[in-house]
Structure formats: structure tokens, C-alpha cells
Amino acid sequence: MIENGAKAVVNILEQHGTDIIFGYPGAAIAPFYDKLLTSSIKHVLVRNEQGGVHAASGYAKTTGKVGVCIATSGPGATNMITGIATAYMDSIPIVAITGQVLSSQIGKDVFQEADITGATAPFCKHNYLVKDASKLPGIINEAFMLASTGRPGPVLVDIPIDILLHEMEYDYSYSFNIPGYQYQFEIDEKQIEAVCQVINQSKKPLIIAGGGIISSGSKDILYKISHEFDIPVTYTLMAKGCLDDNYERNLGMLGSHGTYSANKAVHDCDLLLIAGGRVGDRSFNSASDMYQKKTIIHIDIDPAEIGKNITVDYELNGDARDFLHAIHARLKKSDREKWIVNRKKTAELESKFVNGDGTIDPKDVLLCLAKHIDDDAIITTEVGQNQIWAANLIDIKTSNMFVTSGGMGTMGYGLPASVGCKSGNRDKQVIAIEGDGSLQMSLQELGTIMQEDLDIKIILFNNCSLGMVRELQSLKFEKRHSGVCLKSNPDFMALFASYGFKGARLYDKEKIEEEIEKMLSYKGTYVLECIVDNDNPTIYR
Amino acid sequence: MEQKHTISVLVENHAGVLSRVAGLFSRRGFNIDSLAVGETTNPEISRITIVVKGDDYTVDQVSKQLNKLVDVIKIKILSDNDFVGRELLLLKVKANAKQRAEIIQLVDIFRANIVDVSNDTLTVEICADQDKLKALTGLLEPFGIMETVRTGMVAIQRGKDCVE
Ligand SMILES: Cc1ncc(C[n+]2csc(CCOP(=O)(O)OP(=O)(O)O)c2C)c(N)n1
Ligand SMILES: [Mg+2]
């Protein structure tokens, strides 16, 4: 059949089971939008292309599918960059499609021309500028394959408008063949045997779970290893939800903003099994020499992460799930003594801070929230204190999902991500934890939520501050607070009301439970604005 | 320990590959000493020969990060004595009629060639390993070197081993 390139793209998206895409139109991508009209794919019109990528990210994380986002050439494409970089750091499978100016005009600085493949090369797993219409179907298929296999990541396809309009008989037959791309790795049984032997001999083994545990679907096998062989676990921010937070061997998040137990365990252990994590600097202090004294086993699908930040004794390059199954099969029940006993979790999270009048402690809100949410609720966060509070204080189950920007720490991620989460999971509760600063970075997406009639529960921690940076200034700059005061916040309740959202302002501790119940039972988007003291810390000392 | 490493990289002959490779080096703070590109017998595949300075950790990272580029097909770090490395140098040196003979004599010793001559210059071509290029350049220095152009090193393994 003779079709144009835009139709071919739509056809392939449909073939990949893409049911929802997030985008923003413009002239260069107009042929694609035209063909969308007769497709089964639902288009969510975001309010900024960055939001489109974040929404695709939330969608991908919570549906297991590849997230797809669309933008036009030039400013549309460049608006995507922060979203793409955010997805790249957190290994989220995304296909970003951008329109481009006429092939014959590329390089001439014509209207809305931007070299988006050049600009995003550092943040993409791979990208393409399509030059030959006959290769278009193959490229889109390849983009899906690359985004979702191996270490997942964003792939961008830049399509000049003449290619979108090019009419021909497109060939959809496709076989994946990139000679230099390896995404399946063999397990070396001898190596597994050696690894299991050192684990069996270890007196104080510890597992550090990274985001790869979630993306490879390894929660069950992680639990089995921990439970059956009595090995405590700590997790990175990206792996929250890898184990039930109330499971006794789960020590919580590690690192600069992690729990006392987790960091103490990392310090005291004699063996570290790092599973599906990239040894990021917020989780590991690679300048420390303490790692040298421990046996370190590192499982990662990306060979370049192994040995990059700390020296490793056993390099297990491959899928975390495969390796954990292989290790589980060979581990022996050990008679080692329990080395972590009676973690005093509540005491650890006890803060000496006294909240000012008319403010509430975010801890009280989040602990209460955790009690009332559905077992399969999805939680998104922004970046800042709100994120750390959420990570440390909301006890979630493995059936919950925690969606946050880890590696990039992108403010303005959470709200658009929640759009993607809810769009892909209409039957699930979606709760967006917001900071007043971050919210205002993606505020425009409230319009998307309204237009799509999404039911999102927003918990807004209003401390009239860029709290996290303020805290940093308190600790490291002798309380010289500079550029962190959000003195002129809008009347958030009135603002939300203008979008037709209900809500309440919360500053009375006694009302927390009542208000949370009210919020969760309401049908539709609801905002709980929590007035928080801007001196309330994330790091309890 | 910091030293030079020679890396042979096979890449798909796509547009933009070179900028991806070069971008990776600058982005990750690796130091390129030289870089040379050319087609292989298969026109769809190009070979990039890179000389990089760094310790073992750096070379390991260079090779792993290069491997992550989807267009990179194969990487081989050539071990020191196991390859023949050559670089082409064109060098324009000041030479009046009196100095000409002396320069030509030096050029002969190095089995280099004179490829252009004018009233007051000679242009020398030498294809050799980097030590020889350095030595000849040093000897011609006193005459007054006006310009040099180098290709960057290309390298091939000794014996029957190939990077393919
Ligand atoms: C796009 C972006 N700009 C700047 C920062 C630096 N930064 C990190 S946390 C933070 C403050 C966040 O403020 P808010 O959203 O109100 O959260 P709070 O810490 O007050 O809970 C800032 C400015 C960032 N992470 N992302
Ligand atoms: Mg704030």
C-alpha cells in the first residue's frame, strides 16, 4: 500500500502496542498529527515538551512498556532535552520522536531548525536523523528495541518533514541486527560458584539493591535470597519498593540521605553484593577506603558501570534477574550469626526538630499517608526535601511503585510523571508528592491533568522555600540563605480551584488523618497543601 | 601509570559516528593523542585508530564506554609490541641553495622523500613510527620548520591476528 512516512510511523507504534503517547504539535511534525487522527493511539497533549518526556517516563516505569513522546522541530525538540537527560540517568525506556525541517534545508539555519541529534547525543542511548524514507520503519523498530533491551534508555528519532510526507510502499519486515550491540549475556557457572562460596563464607553479607532490581523484575528473587539466606538489604533511591519497607531485613535507603541502619550496615559488612545499581555518588562514597576491605560483587547489565566508581572483586555482567536466580540456586543455608538485630527504625527517624506554630511535620503526614494508600498505589515525587521525606518515611510494599528522578534530580519531574503514571494506570491510585518550588517548574501540567480528567492526589509541601538548598546552606554555609526564599508563592488553593480541583490546606496535626481520608475517598484530583516549617530537616542529627 | 595506548575501533560507517566518538572522549575527560579514520575493505565499516593517554583504569573505561556506542562494532586495545604503527608527516622547512644538500642527506638517512622544492623551501614527506617522526623533526628544527601536517597514527597487528 502506498502511504506516507507519518502513517508508517503510526503503524509501527501501533504494532508495538503503544496505546498512549505524550506530545506537543508544530509544523514539522504536523503530518504525524494528521495520521494520528485515524489511529487507535491516544494522544495526551502536555503543556510543555519537557513534561511530555517526563510523562512518558512515568508511563514507562509503571506499565513496563516503552514510553513514547512527540515534539516538533527546533524549540519543541530542545524543550525535550531535560526530560531525555533525566530518563537517561535513570535508565528509562523511551522513544522520543521529533519533526525536523526539510532534509534539503538541514544545516542552513532555517526557521525552527535545531541539531537535536547532536544536542542529545550525550543523553541518549542512541539517536537517529532519518535520511532515507525507506529506512524509516526499520529505524523506529530499532529505536524500540534499543530503548527496551539491555540497559534501558531513551532513543530519539529525528524525522525531516519531507520524509514524513514521503509516499511509497513501506516495507515493515524487520529483523534486529546491530552487530556492535550486545544485550544478552551468558552466565558463567564457575563464576557463580565462586561468588556463592564467598557469600557462604561471609559473616556479614549485605545486598545493595539498585534500580535494575525493579526494571528487571527481580523483587521476588531478591526477597527469596534475603529471606532464605538471612541477608540484610539496603536500597538506592531508584530501588525503593524492591522489598516491603516493613520487612525486617530491609534497612531502608542508603547514602547521603539514607537511614542510619543502612549506612552503618554498609560500613560494618564484610561483603557487598551490589545488584543492578550503578554505584552513584549519592549512594556510595567512592572516595572512602572502606570498600577495599570488603569483598565486592557487582551485578550490572552495563559493563561500563562495573569498576567505574569502586574496585570490584567479582564482575557479574548481565541481567540482575538471571544472576540472582543463579546465585539463589547455589547458595547454601548458612549458620552465620545474625549480624543485624533489632533495627530501631522509629528511633532512627526521630527528629529533635520542633515545628513552628501553624505548621505540621511532613513526617506525620507521610506516615499517615502510608497507612491509608492502596497496596498498589503509585507514588511520584519531586526533587528536594519532599523527595527525601517521601523516600524515607512512606513505607511501601513491593506492589507499590515509587517514581522519582534519581540520577539527574530534576525538579519539575514529579507532576508530569504522575500524568504518565495515571494515563497508563487509570485503575490505580496515583499520589504526587510535591514541593512548592518543583511544582512551579511544571505547573502548566495541571492543565493536562484537567483536560485528561486524571484523578491525581497531590500532596504539596509548602515551605515557601527551596528547602533542600536552604538546608544545604544551613549546614555548609553557616545559615547564609541565598536565593532560596519563595516569598511570593501564589494562593495554591485558589490556583488549583481555577483548574477545578478540590483540596484543603493543612496546618493542624490533629486533622491529618481526617484530611488524608477525605482526600483519598474523593473522586478526582485533590490537593492537600501542607504548611511546613522551612527549617524542618531531611538529615536528622 | 599514565602511558599511551593504541586502540583500534571498527564502527558502522554512519553519519555522525565520528562526532559520537569524539564527543565521548571530551565528555568523559579522556585525552586523545591522535585519531585517524578510514574505510575498511567493507565500505559499510570504518576503522578509527585512537591513541589515548591514561592509566589502566582510563583505558578500561575508554574501551567500555566506546563499546556502549551502538555504532561501535568492535574494539581492540593493541598491546605494545604487537602492532606496526605508522604516521605520515609532511614538513615544510626553510632551505636556501646552500642548505639543500645537507637537508637532503638527512632525509635520505630517514628514507623520507622530498615532495616539493622552491627557492627557499623543501617539503619533506615521511611515513614512519612516531619516534622517527620526532627524530627527523628534531634534526630539521635548526633550519627553521615552517609548517608540519600529521595524519595521526594508524596501526595494524603483527602476524595473522586481525581486528575484524
Ligand atoms: C531543575 C533543577 N533546578 C535546580 C535544582 C537544585 N535543587 C535541588 S532541590 C531544590 C529545591 C526544591 O524545592 P522544592 O521543590 O520546594 O522542594 P523542598 O526541598 O522545599 O521540599 C533545588 C533548587 C534541581 N534539582 N533541579
Ligand atoms: Mg519547598
Side-chain angles (χ1 to χ4, degrees), chain A residues 155-207:
Chain A
V155 178
L156 180 135
V157 186
D158 194 25
I159 315 175
I161 185 166
D162 50 305
I163 298 217
L164 288 172
L165 292 170
H166 186 84
E167 305 224 349
M168 64 178 282
E169 187 133 358
Y170 284 90
D171 178 4
Y172 294 97
S173 62
Y174 168 71
S175 66
F176 184 63
N177 176 27
I178 302 181
Y181 179 65
Q182 195 189 0
Y183 62 98
Q184 282 162 323
F185 300 87
E186 301 263 304
I187 286 191
D188 175 356
E189 287 297 331
K190 274 217 187 83
Q191 202 188 15
I192 297 294
E193 204 164 312
V195 162
C196 288
Q197 204 169 349
V198 293
I199 299 176
N200 284 330
Q201 284 162 359
S202 158
K203 294 209 159 37
K204 298 175 173 181
L206 177 70
I207 298 174

Side-chain angles (χ1 to χ4, degrees), chain A residues 239-488:
Chain A
K240 185 171 173 74
C242 63
L243 290 171
D244 194 319
D245 275 317
N246 283 312
Y247 164 57
E248 54 173 337
R249 293 182 188 84
N250 183 351
L251 305 176
M253 183 169 81
L254 83 163
S256 56
H257 291 79
T259 68
Y260 172 79
S261 296
N263 288 324
K264 180 155 187 346
V266 173
H267 183 270
D268 293 349
C269 73
D270 62 10
L271 178 142
L272 266 181
L273 172 60
I274 305 163
R278 66 183 177 89
V279 190
D281 58 305
R282 288 296 159 115
S283 306
F284 293 77
N285 175 12
S286 51
S288 159
D289 55 6
M290 73 172 168
Y291 301 106
Q292 291 161 17
K293 295 173 213 128
K294 310 173 191 297
T295 305
I296 298 190
I297 305 158
H298 189 177
I299 305 173
D300 206 282
I301 190 115
D302 180 354
E305 295 300 356
I306 304 180
K308 186 172 87 180
N309 295 342
I310 52 173
T311 310
V312 167
D313 299 295
Y314 296 90
E315 304 192 2
L316 306 188
N317 180 209
D319 190 271
R321 193 161 181 274
D322 297 346
F323 272 114
L324 291 180
H325 275 282
I327 288 172
H328 177 260
R330 280 185 184 267
L331 274 184
K332 292 206 180 59
K333 282 260 184 301
S334 119
D335 48 7
R336 87 171 75 86
E337 265 177 62
K338 238 189 184 26
W339 69 281
I340 292 179
V341 270
N342 297 333
R343 174 184 175 206
K344 296 196 177 54
K345 187 168 165 183
T346 7
E348 259 172 44
L349 297 174
E350 206 55 66
S351 149
K352 290 191 192 70
F353 181 74
V354 183
N355 293 281
D357 280 349
T359 67
I360 46 169
D361 198 320
K363 182 165 72 179
D364 295 330
V365 177
L366 294 173
L367 291 179
C368 178
L369 178 74
K371 276 195 298 186
H372 286 87
I373 55 172
D374 292 347
D375 283 351
D376 62 353
I378 296 165
I379 295 152
T380 68
T381 83
E382 289 296 346
V383 170
Q385 294 187 306
N386 64 86
Q387 179 184 36
I388 304 303
W389 288 326
N392 283 328
L393 297 167
I394 307 180
D395 282 342
I396 60 171
K397 302 192 165 55
T398 53
S399 48
N400 287 121
M401 271 184 273
F402 192 78
V403 178
T404 194
S405 163
M408 199 56 138
T410 305
M411 286 171 70
Y413 172 79
L415 192 71
S418 77
V419 168
C421 296
K422 189 68 187 184
S423 301
N425 299 273
R426 286 269 179 176
D427 54 335
K428 290 188 183 165
Q429 222 174 34
V430 174
I431 295 161
I433 310 289
E434 294 291 322
D436 50 337
S438 301
L439 173 70
Q440 292 181 81
M441 274 211 183
S442 284
L443 195 62
Q444 68 282 356
E445 300 307 334
L446 291 175
T448 315
I449 295 174
M450 182 184 182
Q451 184 163 334
E452 291 301 314
D453 199 13
L454 299 173
D455 173 349
I456 294 174
K457 309 303 188 212
I458 299 173
I459 296 206
L460 166 61
F461 288 119
N462 185 357
N463 52 8
C464 291
S465 295
L466 304 175
M468 186 78 149
V469 182
R470 193 174 182 282
E471 183 176 8
L472 172 83
Q473 292 172 346
S474 295
L475 295 173
K476 298 273 166 73
F477 296 89
E478 296 162 325
K479 298 197 177 162
R480 291 191 300 278
H481 297 138
S482 173
V484 291
C485 176
L486 297 173
K487 204 158 43 187
S488 299

Side-chain angles (χ1 to χ4, degrees), chain A residues 508-524:
Chain A
D508 178 0
K509 187 173 174 175
E510 305 305 318
K511 293 245 171 76
I512 292 176
E513 183 137 35
E514 178 190 326
E515 289 294 350
I516 284 182
E517 282 177 340
K518 212 196 286 174
M519 172 181 82
L520 293 178
S521 60
Y522 180 78
K523 272 205 171 6

